[in-house]
Amino acid sequence: MKTRQTRTSEAQPITMVYDMPSVLPPGTTPVSRLYYEDWNIKVVDREKTGCDNYLTPNRRDFYKIMFMTSGTGVKTMGKNNYYIDERTILFLHPNEIVCWRNTSPKAGGGIFCMFKKRYLDQHPSLKLIIDRYKFFTEKKILRLSEESARMVHSLLTQMKAEATTGNPLAEEAMQAYVQLILIESLKGTDYAPVGEITNDYRHVYDFFELLEKETNLANPDNPIRMRTAKEYAEKLNLNPNYLNGLVKKHTGQPVSTLIKNRLLEESKALLVQTNWTLQEISQIIGFADQPNFSQFFKRYVGVTPNDFRRSPISPDYEG
């Protein structure tokens, strides 16, 4: 097996999501937005579900522990690139803008553990460990020893089995496993970034950061005001065509489509997570009246806002 130093020196900068082969249908964007689903904690087997290239530009309401057992890739977190291989564990904060690019021929293996913010609030002892040792903030990517990697893999496997029991105390037990995983990970070593992102990607990052800032605090007193590519380009002091070209190069879709998708996902979240009326949500999203909002929502989601609120459409987990 190659050493970490050799692999790092061979790692080449990857600036576009579409630089690597994708199992997604042609023209399908790898932009993933999932934060309105109703669960507290879950474990996903990466080897079974796979992991294609993806970008998560919007806030999530969950923390994510990502443990790699095989394969390689480049993880962009914030404004840094990290070269990832086996025995690496990542701690992804809900507010982090994240992009993943596979660099191995096949998607690698591993296990994901995700838990909601509310789950952390319900378990003060877990929150204490995270805060004390600065997981998800200063400790984001750790390279584990072989012994620690085996232990973490075993704990995650046991945790996954616990999740399938249906026992009413399963979630309590799972948070204990998370604490053990965090403690075992402290035996790892900080993993340094490969390098900063390109200037092109920096503009893409700034766009998504601004889009998220505009939408994630939306409420009846603070409705969304920017809804066009031109408005975002002006705010970023960029030519609209230039910004659109960069964003399309990195994600496969134009700025207008990404804004539309973000408005739809915020609409879904507000419908599921609040008891605000359709008129209030319409105004928050930026529509002058509720019929136009309902028409917009049904056109792209396939059901009316009321139908979605009664029975949320929950997509399969990606990435």
Side-chain angles (χ1 to χ4, degrees):
M1 186 178 71
K2 295 181 181 179
T3 65
R4 173 183 178 276
Q5 287 78 11
T6 300
R7 286 184 173 178
T8 301
S9 64
E10 291 178 351
Q12 297 298 316
I14 298 176
T15 59
M16 292 188 294
V17 173
Y18 279 5
D19 278 347
M20 303 306 300
S22 174
V23 300
L24 293 170
T28 301
T29 177
V31 176
S32 174
R33 295 180 172 87
L34 293 171
Y35 67 106
Y36 58 87
E37 295 179 293
D38 188 19
W39 49 267
N40 286 323
I41 182 169
K42 64 180 177 179
V43 181
V44 178
D45 191 332
R46 193 176 194 266
E47 295 181 11
K48 293 182 179 180
T49 62
C51 182
D52 199 15
N53 303 325
Y54 68 92
L55 173 67
T56 59
N58 67 302
R59 82 189 190 281
R60 300 168 298 282
D61 66 345
F62 59 87
Y63 293 82
K64 180 176 180 180
I65 299 174
M66 172 181 169
F67 177 64
M68 291 281 289
T69 58
S70 64
T72 61
V74 172
K75 193 80 168 179
T76 303
M77 296 170 61
K79 296 188 177 181
N80 285 315
N81 285 329
Y82 299 84
Y83 183 70
I84 308 299
D85 58 9
E86 68 265 21
R87 303 208 320 269
T88 304
I89 189 165
L90 300 89
F91 301 92
L92 308 181
H93 193 277
N95 296 335
E96 200 86 69
I97 293 178
V98 175
C99 182
W100 171 264
R101 278 74 49 92
N102 286 312
T103 57
S104 48
K106 295 182 179 180
I111 304 179
F112 300 154
C113 166
M114 295 161 288
F115 51 90
K116 294 289 186 86
K117 291 179 179 178
R118 65 186 180 218
Y119 184 76
L120 190 59
D121 293 336
Q122 293 165 4
H123 297 90
S125 59
L126 174 58
K127 187 176 189 301
L128 180 63
I129 291 178
I130 289 174
D131 292 343
R132 176 182 295 172
Y133 296 106
K134 297 179 170 47
F135 285 102
F136 300 97
T137 52
E138 293 183 9
K139 289 184 176 67
K140 297 182 179 182
I141 300 183
L142 302 177
R143 171 76 170 178
L144 302 179
S145 66
E146 290 187 12
E147 182 180 355
S148 290
R150 283 195 298 269
M151 180 62 72
V152 167
H153 188 270
S154 175
L155 290 168
L156 283 166
T157 301
Q158 294 175 63
M159 186 177 173
K160 183 173 64 174
E162 183 68 45
T164 63
T165 63
N167 190 296
L169 294 177
E171 289 190 355
E172 292 289 336
M174 291 171 74
Q175 67 88 24
Y177 280 113
V178 175
Q179 291 190 50
L180 291 173
I181 290 166
L182 295 176
I183 292 170
E184 187 64 39
S185 297
L186 289 175
K187 301 174 183 178
T189 304
D190 288 344
Y191 202 13
V194 172
E196 289 193 354
I197 58 177
T198 64
N199 286 331
D200 279 1
Y201 187 86
R202 190 179 303 276
H203 290 314
V204 176
Y205 176 94
D206 289 342
F207 161 69
F208 280 120
E209 188 176 45
L210 182 59
L211 178 60
E212 186 56 30
K213 182 179 180 180
E214 177 69 13
T215 55
N216 69 1
L217 297 178
N219 59 62
D221 297 322
N222 185 39
I224 295 171
R225 303 185 187 282
M226 292 196 296
R227 292 166 45 88
T228 67
K230 181 179 179 181
E231 289 172 316
Y232 279 91
E234 289 178 350
K235 191 74 173 180
L236 295 170
N237 295 317
L238 296 173
N239 178 279
N241 291 333
Y242 177 69
L243 174 63
N244 193 64
L246 287 180
V247 170
K248 191 171 183 179
K249 183 176 78 170
H250 282 266
T251 69
Q253 289 193 329
V255 170
S256 59
T257 299
L258 293 169
I259 294 173
K260 176 202 73 181
N261 290 342
R262 186 66 185 90
L263 294 176
L264 286 169
E265 294 309 313
E266 191 64 24
S267 301
K268 293 176 184 178
L270 294 177
L271 287 167
V272 173
Q273 297 173 0
T274 75
N275 59 1
W276 292 332
T277 66
L278 291 189
Q279 180 60 36
E280 288 174 316
I281 293 176
S282 301
Q283 294 174 349
I284 291 168
I285 299 300
F287 286 85
D289 55 68
Q290 184 256 312
N292 282 337
F293 167 70
S294 295
Q295 184 180 22
F296 163 78
F297 190 90
K298 184 175 182 179
R299 177 183 178 187
Y300 293 107
V301 179
V303 295
T304 66
N306 267 329
D307 287 341
F308 184 88
R309 172 169 264 174
R310 285 192 291 266
S311 179
I313 297 173
S314 181
D316 293 334
Y317 178 75
E318 301 174 32

